[in-house]
Amino acid sequence: SVEDLQAYMLGNLTEVMELLQQVNATTMARSETFATKVNLDHAWVLVCGFLVVFMQAGFSVLEAGSVSEKNLTNILFKNIMDMSMATLC
């Protein structure tokens, strides 16, 4: 009968709505997890960038100790230009 069909359709509609709510909750949890992973990736890239800058400073000190005093300015200028070009690229 029509009433049975309506009851059946209403029952299915309720089940579909519950399923959609579960999917929505799962999707929200996954997007929050994804956002956390992206933020951690960005933080890691920044930390690695800072380490590279300090490594460049260490190479400058090493090279400054390896050359004569008259070439010191040229070596330090070369290292500053190297870091500047790397930053721009």
Side-chain angles (χ1 to χ4, degrees):
S1 74
V2 174
E3 290 83 23
D4 292 337
L5 183 60
Q6 286 177 344
Y8 176 74
M9 294 295 283
L10 186 60
N12 282 345
L13 184 60
T14 305
E15 289 177 15
V16 168
M17 291 300 289
E18 290 174 1
L19 184 61
L20 285 175
Q21 288 174 351
Q22 290 173 357
V23 168
N24 189 24
T26 304
T27 304
M28 291 298 291
R30 286 184 182 166
S31 72
E32 289 174 6
T33 303
F34 180 73
T36 303
K37 287 180 181 179
V38 168
N39 289 337
L40 285 175
D41 287 345
H42 289 161
W44 180 249
V45 168
L46 285 173
V47 166
C48 291
F50 292 137
L51 289 174
V52 168
V53 168
F54 287 122
M55 183 178 65
Q56 186 71 24
F59 282 133
S60 294
V61 171
L62 176 69
E63 289 181 8
S66 300
V67 298
S68 64
E69 190 175 345
K70 69 176 188 161
N71 294 329
L72 181 63
T73 305
N74 293 333
I75 290 295
L76 292 179
F77 181 73
K78 179 194 74 79
N79 284 326
I80 289 172
M81 289 305 296
D82 181 35
M83 193 62 183
S84 300
M85 292 308 233
T87 303
L88 290 176
C89 293

